[in-house]
Amino acid sequence: MRIYKVGGAVRDRLLGKPVTDIDWVVVGATTEEMLAKGFRPVGADFPVFLHPKSGEEYALARTERKSGRGYGGFTFHASPEVTLEEDLIRRDLTINAMAEDDQQNLTDPYHGQRDLEARLLRHVSPAFAEDPLRVLRVARFAARYATLGFTVAPETLALMRQLSESGELEALTPERSWKEISRALMEDQPQVFVEVLRACGALKVLMPEVDALFGVPQPPAHHPEIDTGAHTLSVLQQAALHKQPLTVRWACLLHDLGKGLTPEEEWPRHIAHEFKGLKLIKAINERFKAPRDCQELALLVGEYHTHGHRALDLKPSTLLELLQSFDIYRRPQRFEEFIAACEMDARGRKGLEERSYPQANYLRGAATAARSVAVQPLLEKGFKGPELGEEIKRERLKALKAYKETASI
Ligand code: CTP
């Protein structure tokens, strides 16, 4: 049997990037031989094994043929006769279809190295179309390597468009899609992920609510970039620049969905877009089964981001309602993430990226003031049950009034 390093490990070594995961392909072996060597089989579906010591993945060289819709619809053929070239041709991108032996000799039948140098994400063969998830993968790689100058080859974009228009994307499971989306959002240039999906028509299928934001104007006085889609991309870009966590990036992507619902005659104003957007945020959250913390933050940011921007003008009672809605007493981190998303929103405006955002510290100070109300003295005064609740609220309101009068920004 012959063993080769394949895929991302080879690509990233050639790019001079750190290699974290190594995938191996084994040519000329049978399942029985692998088991005899102590490899542990992974699941029942594919001839993939874990190394007994390193735990890395070793896959028998295989060919694949699509036999139905979605991910389930695959038949594969693994046998000792399958060659390395046959295994590589079923892979997604030329830069992912290179193999390397233990002497670092490269097998590169589909010119991945040439495409690495040309900074091109190009599909290997028409077999690309056999897994629609690859549309999202290519967009994710585009987001990851945009800084290095990579773009999607026109013929690959055309194939991605065909796939998007064929209805194949609808067969993807929420879990597989979310894995790609969440990884893509955590890349350096997550806005490129959205741009590439849009360019091939996949955004319209996967996230029509986001797609609908392009072409929707906002008031130039507040939004010099005008277009709501362009704004959303800038907010996402700011979130990556400021190294925000996934929760914040997801909320940034979805915060303005309500603007896509505004009737044209009301443009460029978007009255109550915060509230109107909630049902869209909920739908998209559920479509991809986003984790609970992502779902929650997206909804809260959607509903309250304008409150964040107007923090300094809010009445103490409104400020208190905001803090209560976030349950800042038990969930301090979530309020921090809300503040971060609001700041990214403000910075995601053309020419205003560097403008300071005093609302952030003001909101933090307000949260501290509300939290400073001690419950013990109220208990000692004999308050209990709903009256205790009311009294705590009154005290917090007092603290916020005092804070508003004294806060220096
Ligand atoms: N692959 C593919 N089509 C897919 C998934 C994977 O062709 N839908 C192939 C590619 O050759 C890829 C390899 O399997 O390089 C390993 O896949 P994976 O570990 O998901 O990706 P990596 O390329 O290693 O990239 P990453 O750095 O994102 O893990």
Side-chain angles (χ1 to χ4, degrees):
M1 72 174 73
R2 292 177 310 284
I3 299 181
Y4 302 87
K5 228 178 244 182
V6 277
V10 180
R11 176 197 71 222
D12 286 338
R13 186 186 71 73
L14 292 171
L15 278 174
K17 295 254 165 197
V19 171
T20 41
D21 269 350
I22 305 185
D23 291 313
W24 305 87
V25 67
V26 183
V27 179
T30 61
T31 296
E32 291 69 32
E33 284 169 288
M34 297 298 282
L35 296 176
K37 283 187 181 294
F39 282 87
R40 297 191 307 273
V42 182
D45 292 352
F46 289 120
V48 178
F49 304 85
L50 297 182
H51 190 277
K53 291 220 179 74
S54 70
E56 287 168 356
E57 272 192 17
Y58 286 66
L60 295 187
R62 64 177 188 259
T63 57
E64 275 172 5
R65 172 114 10 97
K66 200 167 164 58
S67 58
R69 274 169 78 89
Y71 195 50
F74 265 118
T75 50
F76 67 84
H77 167 70
S79 86
E81 287 76 50
V82 175
T83 64
L84 183 58
E85 287 73 10
E86 283 170 332
D87 180 277
L88 294 175
I89 202 169
R90 69 171 171 83
R91 292 173 184 265
D92 53 2
L93 296 172
T94 60
I95 63 165
N96 289 339
M98 296 181 277
E100 202 173 76
D101 66 14
D102 55 2
Q103 308 293 314
Q104 286 195 352
N105 293 313
L106 199 66
T107 302
D108 181 18
Y110 310 109
H111 311 294
Q113 207 173 14
R114 192 179 68 194
D115 286 339
L116 271 185
E117 275 153 27
R119 302 299 198 226
L120 273 180
L121 302 170
R122 190 203 306 274
H123 65 286
V124 178
S125 78
F128 178 93
E130 297 190 350
D131 182 5
L133 188 76
R134 289 170 170 171
V135 173
L136 283 86
R137 277 176 63 87
V138 174
R140 171 166 68 79
F141 284 116
R144 182 189 296 175
Y145 297 127
T147 318
L148 297 177
F150 276 83
T151 56
V152 182
E155 63 271 31
T156 302
L157 200 66
L159 191 52
M160 289 161 70
R161 174 167 288 281
Q162 256 178 38
L163 267 170
S164 305
E165 287 169 358
S166 70
E168 281 280 323
L169 294 178
E170 279 132 55
L172 291 173
T173 64
E175 290 78 9
R176 288 189 88 209
S177 300
W178 176 256
K179 208 167 156 209
E180 289 302 322
I181 293 166
S182 55
R183 290 185 73 188
L185 289 177
M186 291 313 289
E187 297 292 356
D188 280 353
Q189 308 257 20
Q191 78 286 0
V192 173
F193 175 70
V194 181
E195 278 166 349
V196 169
L197 291 181
R198 179 163 177 255
C200 70
L203 192 63
K204 205 186 297 169
V205 180
L206 297 168
M207 305 184 188
E209 303 87 347
V210 176
D211 195 65
L213 300 178
F214 292 86
V216 174
Q218 306 166 101
H222 290 113
H223 283 283
E225 72 288 348
I226 300 177
D227 187 80
T228 311
H231 165 62
T232 299
L233 296 182
S234 300
V235 178
L236 208 47
Q237 187 173 18
Q238 287 297 319
L241 264 171
H242 289 85
K243 308 270 178 247
Q244 298 296 350
L246 178 62
T247 43
V248 173
R249 297 185 191 204
W250 182 240
C252 284
L253 177 65
L254 307 187
H255 77 284
D256 264 348
L257 292 188
K259 290 184 180 172
L261 295 176
T262 311
E264 271 188 54
E265 44 302 352
E266 288 178 23
W267 287 357
R269 297 186 64 208
H270 299 281
I271 304 148
H273 73 274
E274 301 86 349
F275 179 72
K276 288 185 201 158
L278 292 180
K279 60 175 188 288
L280 304 185
I281 298 176
K282 190 162 176 284
I284 217 166
N285 269 338
E286 287 170 3
R287 185 172 319 138
F288 298 110
K289 295 191 183 161
R292 182 191 285 265
D293 56 350
C294 288
Q295 296 208 14
E296 271 180 12
L297 190 71
L299 286 164
L300 286 164
V301 169
E303 186 164 1
Y304 293 112
H305 59 277
T306 311
H307 277 61
H309 302 325
R310 295 182 42 242
L312 275 63
D313 305 323
L314 296 181
K315 291 187 297 192
S317 56
T318 315
L319 206 46
L320 181 61
E321 276 167 35
L322 176 72
L323 299 175
Q324 304 284 82
S325 308
F326 275 84
D327 192 8
I328 57 153
Y329 316 99
R330 281 182 299 183
R331 306 282 302 271
Q333 183 58 29
R334 186 171 65 176
F335 192 58
E336 269 304 319
E337 291 178 357
F338 163 71
I339 295 174
C342 291
E343 183 169 346
M344 299 306 109
D345 183 21
R347 289 182 186 278
R349 296 177 299 162
K350 200 169 171 200
L352 303 174
E353 295 83 357
E354 304 300 327
R355 187 186 271 190
S356 66
Y357 192 70
Q359 291 92 327
N361 273 337
Y362 184 82
L363 286 168
R364 286 187 190 109
T368 308
R371 280 193 203 102
S372 69
V373 170
V375 179
Q376 193 58 30
L378 303 179
L379 286 170
E380 281 163 15
K381 279 189 195 161
F383 287 107
K384 45 182 189 285
E387 277 148 35
L388 176 65
E390 280 310 306
E391 193 57 21
I392 295 175
K393 243 172 135 174
R394 250 195 301 278
E395 288 296 318
R396 284 176 179 156
L397 193 56
K398 241 200 268 173
L400 285 173
K401 279 183 181 150
Y403 172 72
K404 192 169 163 57
E405 275 161 27
T406 56
S408 57
I409 311 128

